[in-house]
Amino acid sequence: MPTRMPTQNPCVPPTQNPSGSAGAVVLSFLEGVMPAGLTFSRASGATDFTPTGQLETLAQNAPRFDFHPTTLQPRGLMIERPRTNLLLNAATLATQTVTVTAVAHTLSFYGTGSVTLSGAASGVLNGTGAFPSRATLTFTPTADSLTVTVSGSVTFANLEVGGFASSFIPTTTVAATRATDLCLAPDLAALGFNPQEGTVYAEFEPLAVPVSGNFPTLWQADAGNAANRIGAYYSAGPGQRLNMIMSSGGVTQGDTSSPNSYLLGAVNKSAVAWATNDRAGCLNGGTVMTDLTAIIPTGLTTFRCGTGATGAEPLNGWLRRLIYTPARLPNAQLQALTA
C-alpha cells in the first residue's frame, strides 16, 4: 500500500454555507485539507481510500480525508475509536492461530478466497468478490485459541473486538492498534464562539449502528470534561436517533432524542441550536425536538469535532461538514437546513 499525506482534491466544490447566516464559521472536511483553527492528532498510523480508490496507509497524526472505494466520492474526515487487529501480516493473510476472549469479534477481508474458523469458534467467511469488495463476519468465540485457515485470495484482513468492521489495520509479526482520531479547536475564540446562544449544523455518515451504551459524538463544546458541555451524538436506539446533550456543573440539563432516525450508508444532516431555556434540534428535516429547561454551561474552552472530552465516544464514521453560527436559528430554519 502507498503512504501519502492528504492533498486538496480539485474535484470538490468550494466550501458552502447553507445557513446563509452572518458570522457563520464553515468547517468543511471535503476538500482534503484541515480547516483553519483546527488541530488533528492520532497516536498511530491508519488507513483510508485515495481519490482513485486505492487503500493507503497514513502516518501518525495525519488526518484521513477518505473517499468511497467504488463511487470515488469524498466522504469527509474519518474518525474512529481505537481497535486492535489480532491477525499477523494481515495485508496478505496466511493460516495462523491467535488468542481471543469471550466477547464479540469481527473478521473482515478483501478478496475472493475464504477463511475457516476453528478452535474457539467455528464458521466460514467467503470472499464476496475482487477488491474493494469486503466480506465481514461477527461472532462470539470462547476464551481460547482461534485458528484461521486461509484459502485463496485473502487480503487486508482484520480480526478485531467489536460488533462491526472498522478500517483496515496493517500488522507485521505482531498485532497492531489504531488509536483514536482527535480533531478539535483548542481556542473557542477562533470560532467566534458565543456560549449563550448558537447553532451547529453537522453532516455525517455513520460507519455502523453503535452497540448499546456507546454514544458516538458528532461535535461537542466543553470545559475539558463532560461536566460542562453542549453537544450532539447519535445512539443505538430505540430507532437510531440523534441526541442533543447539555450538562452544567455536572448535572445533565436534557438529553433529548430526535423522533426520526439517521441512515447508514447515507449522508445525514443535523442541526442543534441553543439559548437560555431554549434548545432545539433537527435530523434530516424531521420534526424539531425541543427542550425549554436547559441551563447554559459556563467555562467552555474547546470545540471538538467527532469526539467528546479527552477523546471519548468517537464518531465512528465520516464527518463531512460542521457550520457554527453564533446565534440561535429559528426552528423552521433548522428543518430547512437539514432537509
Side-chain angles (χ1 to χ4, degrees), residues 4 39 48 70 90 96 132 149 159 202 228 318 330 337 339:
R4 70 167 175 89
T39 65
D48 72 355
T70 55
Q96 58 191 268
T149 302
L159 176 61
N228 292 283
W318 296 268
L337 280 172

Side-chain angles (χ1 to χ4, degrees), residues 87-186:
L87 298 172
L88 310 183
N89 299 307
T92 305
L93 194 68
T95 297
Q96 58 191 268
T97 299
V98 297
T99 300
V100 293
T101 54
V103 295
H105 287 61
T106 297
L107 171 68
S108 61
F109 69 86
Y110 298 87
T112 57
S114 66
V115 174
T116 301
L117 305 178
S118 58
S122 60
V124 178
L125 177 60
N126 292 308
T128 55
F131 184 88
S133 179
R134 193 183 199 188
T136 66
L137 173 67
T138 299
F139 62 98
T140 301
T142 59
D144 205 341
S145 295
L146 176 71
T147 297
V148 295
T149 302
V150 176
S151 176
S153 173
V154 175
T155 61
F156 308 130
N158 276 1
L159 176 61
E160 52 195 315
V161 172
F164 59 89
S166 70
S167 61
F168 172 60
I169 304 169
T171 63
T172 56
T173 56
V174 294
T177 298
R178 182 196 58 247
T180 305
D181 301 274
L182 300 173
C183 180
L184 57 88

Side-chain angles (χ1 to χ4, degrees), residues 275-279 291-296:
T276 301
N277 294 326
D278 178 17
R279 195 164 53 124
D291 172 24
L292 302 180
T293 63
I295 299 172
I296 304 296

Side-chain angles (χ1 to χ4, degrees), residues 197-201 271-274 323-329 334 337:
E197 65 173 293
T199 302
V200 176
Y201 167 87
V272 171
W274 68 92
I323 302 175
Y324 166 69
T325 303
R328 197 283 199 210
L329 298 181
L334 302 183
L337 280 172

